[in-house]
Amino acid sequence: QAQLTESGGGLVQAGGSLRLSCAASRRTLSMYTLAWFRMSPGKEREFVAAISRTGDRRHAASVKGRFTISRDSAEGTVYLQMNNLTSEDTAVYYCAAGGNFAAPVVRSYNFWGQGTQVTVSS
């Protein structure tokens, strides 16, 4: 099973930036699409961004232009750079691994981290 560990969450002021990390492995990054999802209380888990095994990237409309997913293949780490944060970005952010880059939905992903809390103050 792919082991995924998120870090980098915390408190940030609106308009600020934060970078989340998802520690995986070189093997995991070579085998799976890696993605970020987020979930706020009372809401369904929402797709944020994904990066394929070959490095193709996609971002949800709600974060496009503000967030960027990237990876360090040598380290086996996936990142989510979040800029110009707003209160709407407050959520638990989850790293996930799966095999279907084309389907940015929860069911496309097999492995999940425990999540890291991001709180954006207004």
Side-chain angles (χ1 to χ4, degrees):
Q1 305 292 324
Q3 299 295 315
L4 308 171
T5 304
E6 303 96 332
S7 63
L11 288 166
V12 64
Q13 295 275 6
S17 297
L18 208 59
R19 189 173 78 157
L20 306 183
S21 298
C22 174
S25 69
R26 290 170 55 89
R27 191 171 187 85
T28 295
L29 266 62
S30 73
M31 292 172 60
Y32 302 106
T33 291
L34 274 294
W36 289 96
F37 288 77
R38 65 187 182 185
M39 186 166 64
S40 299
K43 297 182 179 180
E44 295 183 349
R45 195 164 296 194
E46 174 192 21
F47 171 78
V48 176
I51 186 164
S52 76
R53 294 173 293 167
T54 56
D56 294 330
R57 296 182 288 185
R58 64 173 51 182
H59 301 81
S62 59
V63 306
K64 192 174 184 179
R66 299 188 299 120
F67 293 9
T68 304
I69 189 170
S70 62
R71 67 183 185 183
D72 183 331
S73 296
E75 286 286 327
T77 303
V78 176
Y79 301 99
L80 184 68
Q81 178 66 47
M82 305 184 294
N83 297 324
N84 195 25
L85 287 159
T86 76
S87 61
E88 296 295 323
D89 299 313
T90 294
V92 177
Y93 284 71
Y94 297 90
C95 183
N100 192 350
F101 179 71
V105 295
V106 169
R107 65 177 180 271
S108 296
Y109 292 85
N110 302 309
F111 310 107
W112 295 83
Q114 292 299 118
T116 185
Q117 176 72 48
V118 172
T119 302
V120 183
S121 62
S122 301

